[in-house]
Every structure is written in C-alpha cells, then in structure tokens.
Amino acid sequence: MFSDEDLMRSWNLCKINHRFKEQTMRKLHQKIDSSNIHFREKFKKKSEVLLLHSFLQKFPDLNFENLTCEIPDFIIQHQNKKIGLELTEVINHLEKKKIESQLNKIFREAEIILQKDLKKLQGLYLIEIDESQAPEALKNKEILLKNLLFSIKNLKPKGIFLKIKKIKNEGNIFISFNPEMNLFEELCSEKIKQTIEKKNQKYPLYDSTLDECWLIIVSDMSSLASKYQYIENASILENIASPFHKIYHLDSLFGSMMKIK
C-alpha cells in the first residue's frame, strides 16, 4: 500500500534538481487532493505529476485543464490548443525490478527503526549499492538490514552499500537509491519503440474532442530498473509510426529530454 512517506520521498528526490518549482508542484497536488477521486488514485496522480516536473520546465506556459482524467492521463491548454498528455514509464532493466523491490522493503524497515533517533538522523539518504552482490546479500536480510542501519547511523558504507550521501531534510528519514548514473548505463531504443507501439493500440480510446494528444515516456532516474546514461541506437526511433502528434522521452530528475516525433 502506498503512503505519504513514499510520495514525500519522491518529492525530496525531485528537489535535487535546483530548477524544481516547488510552489507550482504544491498547487497541482492541492488540486488533486481537492478532487473526488479515490485516495489511491490521488497518490497515483500526484506521483505522475512529480515524474512530469522535468517536462513542465520545458513548457512553462502550459496550463492543466484536467488533472484527474483517465484516458489520457492529463489534459492541458497550450498555445490555444486542448492537448491530452499520456504518461508512461519505460523500464530499462526488468531483471533488476525484483531486486529493487526487495531492497526497498529493507529501506522501509530501516526507516521505521531509525525513527527513535529522528531528530539526530532526519534527512534524505542516497545509497549506492554493489548490484552484483545484491542477489546474494538478499539471502540474509537480517545482516543486510544491520549493515544498512550501521551505514545510516555512521555515514560509513558497509557490506553491499558502497556510498552514502545525506541531504538535509526536516521532518522524517528517507532512504533511496542514488540517482547518479553509471558511465555505461544504456537504454535500448527498442524498449522505447515497444512502449510506443503498445500505446498506439490505446490511442482510439482517447477523447476525440482533443486538438492533439502527446505521449510522454519517462525514465524514473531514482529507480535501479529505469535509470540510464544514454540511449543506444536512437536512430531506430526516427520516423516512427504513431498517431500521437508528439512523442517525448525524458528523465524524471535532471530534465534531459529527446523529441521522438
């Protein structure tokens, strides 16, 4: 089950980007909170808006007309046009998704334990792990948790935890993966192509009154399974067939964006 802590963790990660418009994002979240949709859907929408924050920096003059629709995910007004935004995430490393999920559970358990020292330890902790050793380490979660607690308390990495960086944050303790990129971490353009082709099938369901519909493909850079350094063979995305009027790929934190169509 999602929690406010999960959302705040994503919020604080976005703040790493100095161009993060906190006040603008806060207003969007308040609009979503004031809607009549289910609280689970509110969490989903607020998380999606956070993923879009780098995109909003590129289009500062757009206005949201509908934040809570379903197909597409959002409706905006831009240059006198009514435009639908369909948001989707591309997973770079499917094999890492299970490992990441298990490590996140360890992170959440550590956050709860560390609450007793909240005043001393409050902050956002960005952890870099030895991914090659993670599967073996997860076989003994008790030792893994113990090493994580030591690393946080002493700001000294231990076990599979290679580096740790603390960012001041009042109010709670959050642990997340370090969003910094590895030198040769590539995203296969074929995965982007497959994502586009899958969304093409859904296009006939979108609101026919829209002037345009854009597809926004996001890489969640705070996720082990999604972050990337560069896109491999990007040329295969040129002249890709799609009914979407525009297609963009962007990273969720640093604002790198590629126009595909």
Side-chain angles (χ1 to χ4, degrees), residues 98-111:
K98 183 178 179 180
I99 292 175
E100 181 176 353
S101 177
Q102 293 181 74
L103 285 171
N104 272 322
K105 290 179 181 178
I106 300 292
F107 288 177
R108 304 296 85 82
E109 190 173 346
E111 288 171 352

Side-chain angles (χ1 to χ4, degrees), residues 96 99 129-135 160 162 182 185 224 227:
K96 291 183 181 180
I99 292 175
I129 69 165
D130 185 340
E131 295 180 31
S132 65
Q133 298 298 318
I160 68 166
L162 302 179
N182 295 330
E185 203 153 32
L224 289 180
K227 66 177 183 175

Side-chain angles (χ1 to χ4, degrees), residues 185-197:
E185 203 153 32
E186 62 189 23
L187 169 58
C188 180
S189 55
E190 186 64 33
K191 293 180 180 178
I192 297 178
K193 182 181 177 182
Q194 291 171 1
T195 300
I196 294 171
E197 291 172 345

